[in-house]
Amino acid sequence: MEITPVRKHKFNLHSDDLENDFEDAFDHADDLTWGAKRRRTEDEVEPTRRGRLTEEARDRLAQMREDAEAADVPEDGDRWTTWDTADQGPKPWPAWLVTDLSAVDRELGVLKTGKEADVFLLERAVPGTDRSCVLAAKRYRSNDHRMFHRDAGYLEGRRMKKSRETRAIANRTAFGRNLIAEQWAVAEFAALSALWQRGAPVPYPVQRAGTELLLEFVGADGAAAPRLAQLRPEPDELLDLWRQLVDALGMLAAAGYAHGDLSAYNLMVHDGRLVVIDLPQVVDLAANPRGPEFLERDVRNIVGWFSQRGLPVEMADPVDLTATLLELAGLR
């Protein structure tokens, strides 16, 4: 039996050990010098703790990683699979998902551009075999282009473990904005994982590496499924989609979530099935003091769209639906 060899790395570019080794090259955060440590004079006192990396040093480390990855490009793709170095989706992994460490990733084009992130079509395949899958790669933009609107309200209830990181986020430094971007990715990945395990209609979250999410591609033959906003459903189809939406919102609420930015543009319809997407601004209904407010806004927005398309008013009362969802969330 022929066994596909797994590529070997000299070191793990995404390992915490690399950053720890990098930090150990410095004596103190106020005296960071690239390369060897500075010799101390007899009058100087040996510090009791090592300093953390400055933003400049972190940028250098990130550049080292990017340069090393760029030098290791497979012949059949744009990069080797990042499956082994990423946070992986919930088990059991779907049968269609390629998890082989010898797989390569190849860019197929842009699916969507947005203010906060861009989404690309990506193929992950094992060279020399017929094993492949198509994924949606969602990548949050660099802090030079990032435009997170009113992020403070959404970030309430999301706490960082380190006070330095909390201060950086509060002050919106370059480092803090990068942390915010990663928080969006972490929050979206965690919410999708929890909701997928509950059977909610969301794309399967394949993996997260930094601010890149790989997700199940919702569509066929390289064409993404339409957004709900693009459709003009007939009355029977409209009623079916509404019932699917109420069920989906109930699953989110029971898991303790509000979408946070729900509209007809954040819902896809694939083969008659409603799929909830774009959850970076997901709100923890219990931890965020404005949670019920975000939920009420979500409901009001989406009820308005369905009502304008002809859904009977008695079937879509935003006050009653919000109350039902808050009860499912244990807040009433």
Side-chain angles (χ1 to χ4, degrees):
M1 177 178 65
E2 182 180 353
I3 299 177
T4 302
V6 176
R7 74 183 192 279
K8 297 181 179 179
H9 294 290
K10 294 181 180 179
F11 52 85
N12 185 349
L13 292 172
H14 298 277
S15 169
D16 291 337
D17 293 337
L18 179 59
E19 184 164 338
N20 293 336
D21 291 344
F22 192 80
E23 292 193 14
D24 288 343
F26 306 100
D27 282 329
H28 196 271
D30 295 331
D31 186 31
L32 294 180
T33 304
W34 183 259
K37 299 177 182 178
R38 177 173 63 83
R39 185 183 300 279
R40 298 181 181 278
T41 65
E42 294 181 359
D43 295 332
E44 290 182 302
V45 178
E46 181 74 17
T48 57
R49 63 183 292 275
R50 296 188 184 275
R52 299 188 182 279
L53 290 175
T54 62
E55 292 180 30
E56 180 181 0
R58 286 182 180 275
D59 289 342
R60 286 175 174 171
L61 176 58
Q63 189 62 52
M64 286 172 59
R65 287 172 169 163
E66 291 178 6
D67 291 345
E69 289 175 349
D72 183 27
V73 177
E75 293 182 2
D76 301 325
D78 296 301
R79 69 183 186 188
W80 294 103
T81 178
T82 52
W83 172 255
D84 54 333
T85 57
D87 294 336
Q88 298 168 352
K91 293 183 178 180
W93 298 324
W96 53 262
L97 180 61
V98 173
T99 61
D100 305 56
L101 300 188
S102 57
V104 297
D105 293 345
R106 183 164 61 95
E107 302 274 341
L108 300 179
V110 179
L111 288 173
K112 176 180 178 291
T113 59
K115 295 184 295 292
E116 296 88 9
D118 299 321
V119 183
F120 299 83
L121 191 64
L122 183 144
E123 180 189 47
R124 176 164 288 174
V126 181
T129 75
D130 60 355
R131 285 188 50 72
S132 68
C133 64
V134 176
L135 306 171
K138 184 174 185 177
R139 296 167 186 158
Y140 289 93
R141 295 187 174 191
S142 67
N143 57 18
D144 291 335
H145 301 93
R146 191 173 303 124
M147 296 174 61
F148 292 112
H149 297 291
R150 304 181 302 278
D151 57 18
Y154 295 102
L155 291 173
E156 290 188 65
R158 303 184 193 175
R159 303 303 179 203
M160 304 298 292
K161 294 181 180 179
K162 299 178 182 178
S163 59
R164 173 177 175 266
E165 295 176 347
T166 302
R167 289 195 302 273
I169 287 176
N171 296 329
R172 296 302 190 270
T173 64
F175 175 56
R177 290 195 298 273
N178 281 328
L179 288 174
I180 290 173
E182 188 154 351
Q183 273 197 307
W184 294 122
V186 169
E188 184 169 18
F189 186 74
L192 286 171
S193 297
L195 292 169
W196 172 268
Q197 290 175 302
R198 286 175 171 262
V202 297
Y204 177 75
V206 174
Q207 65 175 66
R208 181 195 68 85
T211 56
E212 180 191 68
L213 295 179
L214 295 189
L215 308 170
E216 174 188 1
F217 173 64
V218 182
D221 299 325
R227 307 291 175 115
L228 178 62
Q230 299 173 267
L231 302 181
R232 295 294 180 267
E234 295 295 326
D236 289 346
E237 183 184 6
L238 185 74
L239 181 57
D240 179 59
L241 290 172
W242 170 252
R243 288 171 174 165
Q244 289 187 54
L245 176 64
V246 171
D247 288 343
L249 292 178
M251 290 184 185
L252 264 72
Y257 294 124
H259 186 284
D261 190 30
L262 187 63
S263 74
Y265 291 95
N266 289 332
L267 296 166
M268 302 180 82
V269 180
H270 182 51
D271 291 337
R273 177 174 175 262
L274 195 74
V275 181
V276 183
I277 61 170
D278 290 342
L279 287 126
Q281 295 166 315
V282 65
V283 174
D284 186 318
L285 288 171
N288 191 315
R290 295 179 59 191
E293 176 187 336
F294 284 115
L295 177 63
E296 180 182 7
R297 189 183 68 183
D298 280 351
V299 171
R300 187 171 60 251
N301 287 343
I302 201 62
V303 165
W305 188 89
F306 275 90
S307 296
Q308 290 172 6
R309 299 311 183 278
L311 189 71
V313 176
E314 62 273 15
M315 295 194 63
D317 186 325
V319 175
D320 288 346
L321 180 54
T322 300
T324 298
L325 295 175
L326 287 174
E327 185 174 352
L328 286 172
L331 298 178
R332 286 247 175 127

